[in-house]
Amino acid sequence: EWHYEKPAHSTTCKDLIIPDLDTDMAWFLGFLHGDGYVCPRFAHNGFNAHVRFAILPEYNDIFNRCRAQMERFGVRTTVIETANDRSRKLNSHSKQLAWYLSKFKTGYESINIPVEIMQGLPQIRAAYLAGLLDADGCVKNRPLAAMVSVYPDYVKQVQCLYALSTY
């Protein structure tokens, strides 16, 4: 359940659309956990709050897929490309989106896989894992059985999800 109180005199604040959890949104949450940055700025009442992804230009399909999922929330996205950086930054400066997604990821705190994914249909669980792999994975290493994180509880959740997702 998501609720946001608009400021009393706001003329530009739009309601956030919360999409249903389908395979595309499960992929997005996996990608968010693997490579997303959520900056809610609660201490500043959301001033300059944003959500950002840095994606290399050669991964255009991933960039477009991520952008499409962000826009399902009804927010505007922008792209920043700089000469000093190889990646493109996909941004949304939506305070509501940053506050909503902070339920799933914030800096310096362990990540938890949402129960709706852990207990979801096999295709939902697989889509989350695909998003996580698209964010930060490599399938060229042998053996393919490594995950590194500063959050050991999250690693255990991913291991459980993989175990649940075997057919």
Side-chain angles (χ1 to χ4, degrees):
E1 179 76 22
W2 167 250
H3 179 72
Y4 175 78
E5 287 290 328
K6 294 179 186 178
H9 301 288
S10 175
T11 59
T12 60
C13 189
K14 279 179 34 179
D15 286 331
L16 194 65
I17 299 166
I18 306 301
D20 290 334
L21 179 63
D22 55 17
T23 55
D24 289 327
M25 191 51 58
W27 175 90
F28 176 76
L29 290 173
F31 195 78
L32 174 73
H33 282 168
D35 208 18
Y37 177 68
V38 178
C39 180
R41 295 184 50 94
F42 292 119
H44 302 280
N45 195 32
F47 180 72
N48 281 335
H50 61 278
V51 177
R52 177 175 294 160
F53 294 89
I55 304 169
L56 293 173
E58 55 264 32
Y59 297 114
N60 202 46
D61 289 346
I62 290 173
F63 181 89
N64 291 333
R65 188 173 185 186
C66 187
R67 185 177 212 170
Q69 294 315 301
M70 285 179 76
E71 290 176 351
R72 283 179 65 189
F73 287 95
V75 300
R76 188 172 153 263
T77 58
T78 58
V79 180
I80 299 171
E81 297 185 56
T82 59
N84 304 359
D85 194 353
R86 287 188 45 219
S87 66
R88 293 184 291 175
K89 307 286 190 305
L90 176 60
N91 293 304
S92 175
H93 284 277
S94 166
K95 171 180 158 179
Q96 289 185 57
L97 182 63
W99 283 16
Y100 177 74
L101 290 179
S102 73
K103 296 182 350 179
F104 303 103
K105 182 177 185 179
T106 55
Y108 310 108
E109 291 183 23
S110 185
I111 298 168
N112 288 302
I113 299 173
V115 68
E116 296 84 0
I117 289 175
M118 290 296 285
Q119 296 176 356
L121 296 170
Q123 55 268 40
I124 295 291
R125 296 190 305 257
Y128 175 88
L129 293 169
L132 186 60
L133 185 66
D134 282 345
D136 238 1
C138 178
V139 294
K140 295 179 181 175
N141 294 339
R142 298 286 181 233
L144 180 65
M147 179 177 174
V148 177
S149 174
V150 296
Y151 304 118
D153 290 340
Y154 177 62
V155 172
K156 288 179 182 168
Q157 290 177 38
V158 172
Q159 289 172 332
C160 288
L161 194 61
Y162 268 111
L164 288 169
S165 298
T166 57
Y167 296 94

